[in-house]
Amino acid sequence: MARRIHGPGNRLRRAALLWALRRMRWAIGLRPEPATIRAGFARFGPLLARRERWRCSEPAVAGGATLRWLEAEDADAAAVIFYLHGGAFIADSPAVHEPFVAALCRAARARALMVDYRLAPEHAFPAAVEDCHAAWQWLLSS
């Protein structure tokens, strides 16, 4: 059964989410820099995350990227989701992405390969794209 965020029992949670999103948008507007975006995701990401159960493997490395297998319950090892997180190549929020991917895995009865690529501006273009390509090649070869 799906969780409803608009139901009467979730008014407080919905209000907290809206406040967090407004606060994050305000902070990013003041300082539209990668550090501000990352800090906002780290602080408010857990409020946005779904409640899911999953297992995560030990990290592997392909190119400059860190790879992790994420599995929900009843996953079929033959079914794979190749997941590149959002964040415009400058931000990552495992608190949001991992529960979301776990929900995808549960719905698809698959496991997912999550790619943590190098982020800009610390790593200049095309580092993130090269990491994603290396991860894809690693997946195909395994």
Side-chain angles (χ1 to χ4, degrees), residues 17-106:
L17 287 173
L18 290 175
W19 176 85
L21 289 173
R22 282 190 204 110
R23 173 83 175 145
M24 192 168 153
R25 187 172 40 208
W26 173 78
I28 291 170
L30 287 178
R31 300 182 95 184
E33 302 164 353
T36 308
I37 295 168
R38 291 176 191 165
F41 274 120
R43 188 171 191 183
F44 300 117
L47 291 174
L48 303 172
R50 296 178 53 97
R51 294 181 186 150
E52 292 287 336
R53 293 184 181 164
W54 69 90
R55 293 181 303 277
C56 208
S57 71
E58 290 297 319
V61 176
T66 302
L67 312 175
R68 294 175 291 133
W69 285 106
L70 190 138
E71 294 182 15
E73 297 174 0
D74 301 328
D76 178 6
V80 174
I81 298 169
F82 182 69
Y83 186 79
L84 303 172
H85 64 78
F89 292 125
I90 62 167
D92 176 22
S93 179
V96 174
H97 296 296
E98 287 180 0
F100 173 72
V101 173
L104 286 176
C105 289
R106 182 179 39 79

Side-chain angles (χ1 to χ4, degrees), residues 6 14 25 45-46 63 77-78 97 112-113 131 140 142:
H6 298 290
R14 186 170 188 273
R25 187 172 40 208
H97 296 296
L113 182 65
D131 291 350
L140 292 178
S142 63

Side-chain angles (χ1 to χ4, degrees), residues 93-126:
S93 179
V96 174
H97 296 296
E98 287 180 0
F100 173 72
V101 173
L104 286 176
C105 289
R106 182 179 39 79
R109 293 185 180 220
R111 60 190 181 134
L113 182 65
M114 292 187 61
V115 181
D116 295 328
Y117 46 78
R118 293 175 288 176
L119 301 175
E122 294 85 0
H123 303 281
F125 179 81

